[in-house]
Amino acid sequence: TMTMVRCKRLRSSPLAVIVLLLFSFFSAGSSYQIGDAVDTDVVSNFRTEDALRNQMPVFGLPSTTMFHLPGVQQFSLRFEEGLRPLPTISTKALEKVEVTFVYSKSGDGTIHSVTSKASYSSRPHKKGFRVHYEWVEEEKVDIVAGAAVMFMATFLATVVILIQACSVIGLGESLEDEPHQYAAPIDYSSPYAYGVASGTAPGQSKWD
């Protein structure tokens, strides 16, 4: 089967497993340069639409934009192809939404988390609301330590799962190769050895 073949390949090439894990870990998420637009979706009335270019946050730079959502009672914003959504926000008397990005700009820029805070006005009839994007850089030491711990945990867990899966498959293969019945060894030094071998009982002639 394909699973057995894959296990044999993984057992014969542990370096390939390590390379695959490293590639998967470091390719997860998006990388940005300062000033890049961050992909933003607007979710409202069970529909998902792309935000306008001037409504998208700019990586690493604070900015403020206006949103007009006529006829919408609540909405949400999602960033990075929907990987980082905000909680649903009511638009009734909504005045401003503050969105805070925690990010790192060393090497390839990465977004680590997104939070939001909504502010409401005493005037219930407003045509639009402001969204302010704020950026907080995470300390480099914390990023390196956290990434190392996350990678090691993922790596060890994956290795354990692969070893267990391949061990079970290997045990099944060995059981299939072995005969189901075993003949007991015959001690030919015993006086009854030849009787047992010929199928006769002890003390009985095979001609009886």
Side-chain angles (χ1 to χ4, degrees):
T1 63
M2 291 298 297
T3 305
M4 294 165 56
V5 173
R6 289 175 182 173
C7 281
K8 291 180 180 179
R9 289 179 179 177
L10 291 174
R11 283 182 289 181
S12 62
S13 181
L15 180 60
V17 179
I18 297 176
V19 172
L20 179 61
L21 290 173
L22 287 172
F23 176 79
S24 300
F25 176 77
F26 289 105
S27 62
S30 302
S31 58
Y32 301 92
Q33 299 294 328
I34 298 297
D36 287 348
V38 179
D39 177 77
T40 306
D41 295 329
V42 182
V43 183
S44 62
N45 296 341
F46 304 102
R47 296 184 306 174
T48 301
E49 299 177 346
D50 293 334
L52 300 177
R53 178 61 180 82
N54 62 348
Q55 294 176 331
M56 297 181 181
V58 180
F59 185 82
L61 301 176
S63 60
T64 302
T65 185
M66 289 293 298
F67 276 80
H68 300 276
L69 302 175
V72 174
Q73 297 181 350
Q74 56 184 13
F75 78 103
S76 176
L77 297 178
R78 300 191 309 186
F79 306 98
E80 293 195 298
E81 303 294 338
L83 295 177
R84 303 190 182 277
L86 296 181
T88 301
I89 302 172
S90 173
T91 59
K92 185 177 180 179
L94 180 62
E95 182 177 13
K96 181 176 67 172
V97 179
E98 296 180 4
V99 181
T100 302
F101 294 87
V102 178
Y103 76 108
S104 61
K105 64 181 180 181
S106 57
D108 292 334
T110 305
I111 296 175
H112 298 282
S113 65
V114 184
T115 57
S116 63
K117 179 182 178 182
S119 301
Y120 294 89
S121 172
S122 57
R123 295 174 295 175
H125 302 289
K126 293 181 67 66
K127 294 182 179 180
F129 55 89
R130 291 178 294 139
V131 175
H132 177 70
Y133 300 115
E134 187 65 34
W135 296 82
V136 178
E137 185 177 3
E138 193 170 53
E139 294 182 6
K140 184 177 180 180
V141 175
D142 293 339
I143 296 172
V144 174
V149 172
M150 184 181 300
F151 170 72
M152 289 302 299
T154 305
F155 175 77
L156 292 176
T158 305
V159 169
V160 170
I161 293 174
L162 288 175
I163 292 175
Q164 291 178 346
C166 292
S167 298
V168 171
I169 293 175
L171 178 60
E173 291 177 350
S174 62
L175 291 177
E176 291 177 358
D177 295 338
E178 294 179 0
H180 296 288
Q181 297 181 353
Y182 298 87
I186 300 175
D187 183 7
Y188 288 97
S189 64
S190 171
Y192 304 108
Y194 292 95
V196 173
S198 60
T200 60
Q204 179 184 3
S205 173
K206 77 175 190 176
W207 304 110
D208 293 343

